[in-house]
Amino acid sequence: MHDAMDRETAVAAGDDETVDALTIGRRIRQVRAAQGLRLEELAAAVGRAPSQLSMIENGRREPKLTLLQAIARALSTTLEALLASEPLDERAQREVALERAMRGQTFRTLGISPFRIPRSIPDDVLDALLSLHGEIERLKDERAATPEEARRANLALRRLMRTQDNYFPDLEEQARRILTAVNHPGGPLTQRTASDIAAYLGFTLHYVADLPQTTRSVADLKNGRLYLSNRLTAKGDPRTAVLQALCSRILGHGEPTGYAQFLRQRVETNYLTGALLIPEGHAVPFLQDAKKDRAISIEDLRDAYSVSYETAAHRFTNLATRHLGIRVHFLKVHESGTITKAYENDDVDFPADRLGAIEGQLCCRTWTSRVVFDVDDHFNPYYQYTDTSAGTYWCTARVQTSSEGAHSVSVGVRFDDTKWFLGRDTPHRAVSKHATEVCCRRAPAGLEEAWRDNAWPNVKTPRTLLATLPTGAFPGVDTTDMYEFLEAHAPE
């Protein structure tokens, strides 16, 4: 009894995951046609008008349970057979797919009214219509991948990070499990240990000269091979590229279905990579001792684990609030002044757009992250106090270069927490009023009056301003290039 009621409810509701009116209607037509029975004959057998049965077969009317039972008897089959979830024949599947497409937003937007699909329409015409519909849907998805969508996704992720103080226990546990499995004793993670982690996960490492230009690494999941550029051994940290590639496998990432998921996966990968390079169990006592000595230093953390300054700075934000009770902020700023990465849980007032997104905004000209570009001494860290409307903050910053130009990386805390850090005795001080236009976003009145009508810049337009974000499940990756690469390098 309950099964029958559940099925009737499912039919009435049009539940796509069980049975729906379209599927049931096509299955009735499929069984009727296989028995050589005309529509009029079936209609007479169940005491209904042919037009009513036609609407049922076309999925435009939801049949009641009693009528379905009568149809099943007339077709010498069972109700269960009509409600079965087995696939329809290929023709029926095409018709159902097109019927569903016609009921969707795309056809309505194009002004195309749903039409009856007669048997006379060839299969290749149905395939062409479905292909066109799929391509329109794909193009709509590409247009949706705008910089605004990226900012919204970034904002949502940053809010999640703030609620957890940028500390993710599940990722820390994953790192502990992997490091225990390869018997890592703590301290700097060696290149050999990175190779041991790869072997533990079933991968061999292969350094090649022809890695696709749009990728950092490519994993051949079928043959257990991880390909990396042989240029990594000449510059940069080869451990990071290996670990970033492996972390996606450790975390079980699937193909992302949208930009937000792609961004979340990248953050998880970078977090886990940092947790492997700077293990929580070893780094926390190191930082706690530094706090007792009032000598916390990002440079010391960097040197202790042989990582980049940016990796050390990121990792510090993971551990500072949870284990040291220190609220922090982090900024990565391009030499043009554009903020590319940001995190804060110390109430610092970063510039933001109307969505609340920080990335893409111009950093205040007087903030440590901008001032450091004008400092001649790039060997020693730069420290600065900055007075703001939200209070006084102290920051330490470094400049690092890459193929995308110079970036500054800075970590800062509120004035009350400065006592725990080296560099607190700096004489450098500034005032930031970026909440008001005159501070950064608008030139001082005198300068503007003198030059506004006498200046015409030739703008260096960022290419991302004129295009949507790179498309595809993995934005920016040339999949054809990647697949051809894997085919060429796959073992015989």
Side-chain angles (χ1 to χ4, degrees):
M1 173 65 74
H2 286 299
D3 289 344
M5 289 176 63
D6 290 343
R7 289 194 182 100
E8 185 170 16
T9 302
V11 172
D15 187 344
D16 286 342
E17 294 184 356
T18 50
V19 288
D20 60 14
L22 268 175
T23 303
I24 293 172
R26 287 305 189 280
R27 184 164 281 113
I28 291 172
R29 178 190 289 177
Q30 183 176 304
V31 175
R32 176 178 63 77
Q35 296 182 9
L37 201 63
R38 292 186 297 110
L39 180 67
E40 292 78 4
E41 292 173 324
L42 178 59
V46 297
R48 294 290 192 276
S51 59
Q52 183 180 356
L53 230 58
S54 176
M55 293 184 71
I56 289 173
E57 287 192 350
N58 288 322
R60 296 178 183 174
R61 175 170 295 179
E62 297 168 348
K64 293 184 178 180
L65 180 61
T66 52
L67 178 55
L68 271 179
Q69 290 170 329
I71 292 173
R73 286 193 296 270
L75 294 174
S76 300
T77 186
T78 65
L79 178 65
E80 286 72 18
L82 294 182
L83 295 175
S85 58
E86 286 79 20
L88 300 166
D89 62 38
E90 291 186 3
R91 171 70 188 199
Q93 289 182 47
R94 289 185 176 95
E95 291 180 359
V96 167
L98 186 55
E99 284 272 7
R100 286 179 174 152
M102 286 191 290
R103 297 179 183 186
Q105 183 65 36
T106 297
F107 271 74
R108 289 198 297 270
T109 301
L110 294 173
I112 301 175
S113 300
F115 53 85
R116 187 178 69 85
I117 305 173
R119 297 292 297 177
S120 58
I121 294 183
D123 288 354
D124 56 356
V125 172
L126 296 183
D127 287 340
L129 289 171
L130 288 170
S131 295
L132 288 171
H133 175 262
E135 181 63 11
I136 292 171
E137 290 290 294
R138 185 185 71 80
L139 291 172
K140 284 171 61 180
D141 288 342
E142 286 188 4
R143 285 198 295 270
T146 61
E148 180 172 329
E149 182 198 7
R151 291 196 298 274
R152 289 184 187 277
N154 226 6
L155 176 61
L157 188 54
R158 185 159 45 79
R159 284 173 175 166
L160 172 65
M161 293 161 69
R162 187 191 299 129
T163 60
Q164 299 190 187
D165 293 325
N166 205 20
Y167 179 84
F168 291 81
D170 54 331
L171 298 180
E172 300 288 353
E173 178 56 35
Q174 291 272 26
R176 278 192 292 274
R177 180 178 63 82
I178 295 296
L179 293 173
T180 300
V182 297
N183 299 315
H184 179 58
L189 187 140
T190 64
Q191 179 67 21
R192 177 179 295 179
T193 305
S195 299
D196 290 343
I197 294 174
Y200 172 74
L201 296 171
F203 285 92
T204 55
L205 303 181
H206 302 265
Y207 293 90
V208 297
D210 59 340
L211 192 75
Q213 291 187 355
T214 55
T215 64
R216 296 177 179 176
S217 63
V218 177
D220 179 348
L221 304 181
K222 181 167 62 175
N223 298 298
R225 296 160 71 93
L226 179 61
Y227 297 101
L228 303 111
S229 171
N230 58 13
R231 290 190 293 273
L232 281 172
T233 56
K235 63 177 184 177
D237 185 349
R239 300 171 304 167
T240 300
V242 172
L243 294 176
Q244 285 178 334
L246 295 174
C247 283
S248 291
R249 310 318 314 156
I250 295 170
L251 296 168
H253 286 160
E255 184 175 298
T257 57
Y259 187 78
Q261 186 179 3
F262 169 76
L263 185 61
R264 174 65 183 263
Q265 288 181 357
R266 285 201 62 173
V267 168
E268 289 177 345
T269 295
N270 289 335
Y271 189 110
L272 184 53
T273 298
L276 290 169
L277 288 168
I278 307 178
E280 179 182 29
H282 193 268
V284 169
F286 175 87
L287 290 171
Q288 288 173 335
D289 287 343
K291 183 182 179 184
K292 289 177 185 176
D293 295 337
R294 297 179 178 243
I296 296 175
S297 166
I298 306 300
E299 282 76 14
D300 288 352
L301 185 64
R302 173 199 63 189
D303 296 341
Y305 294 92
S306 301
V307 295
S308 69
Y309 185 85
E310 183 175 354
T311 297
H314 265 301
R315 192 64 177 135
F316 182 75
T317 68
N318 299 149
L319 305 174
T321 305
R322 175 60 62 98
H323 294 291
L324 305 177
I326 300 174
R327 296 191 169 275
V328 297
H329 64 261
F330 167 94
L331 269 184
K332 184 175 181 180
V333 176
H334 186 258
E335 58 187 332
S336 64
T338 304
I339 298 173
T340 59
K341 291 182 182 179
Y343 166 75
E344 53 77 25
N345 69 350
D346 59 357
D347 300 321
V348 67
D349 185 17
F350 287 143
D353 64 10
R354 62 182 181 81
L355 300 175
I358 296 171
E359 291 77 9
Q361 299 301 299
L362 279 178
C363 181
C364 179
R365 297 170 65 89
T366 64
W367 198 259
T368 312
S369 305
R370 290 284 296 276
V371 176
V372 69
F373 286 110
D374 299 323
V375 175
D376 293 331
D377 181 6
H378 285 181
F379 180 78
N380 293 301
Y382 176 73
Y383 308 109
Q384 178 180 298
Y385 289 98
T386 307
D387 297 325
T388 76
S389 58
T392 298
Y393 291 86
W394 171 92
C395 302
T396 176
R398 281 277 191 181
V399 174
Q400 55 188 29
T401 58
S402 70
S403 59
E404 298 174 350
H407 287 83
S408 69
V409 174
S410 61
V411 173
V413 296
R414 297 187 68 88
F415 179 83
D416 290 346
D417 285 316
T418 307
K419 60 190 175 185
W420 309 118
F421 291 81
L422 292 179
R424 59 185 175 272
D425 55 350
T426 179
H428 302 128
R429 200 166 194 113
V431 176
S432 173
K433 297 181 179 179
H434 67 254
T436 64
E437 280 196 355
V438 73
C439 179
C440 292
R441 286 171 286 181
R442 188 171 179 177
L447 278 176
E448 184 171 15
E449 183 179 354
W451 289 104
R452 183 164 187 173
D453 295 330
N454 297 294
W456 189 264
N458 184 12
V459 180
K460 184 179 180 181
T461 307
R463 64 178 177 83
T464 52
L465 184 65
L466 302 178
T468 61
L469 292 168
T471 58
F474 300 95
V477 172
D478 185 333
T479 53
T480 301
D481 193 18
M482 178 176 67
Y483 296 151
E484 288 177 347
F485 167 85
L486 287 171
E487 187 71 20
H489 284 271
E492 302 244 342

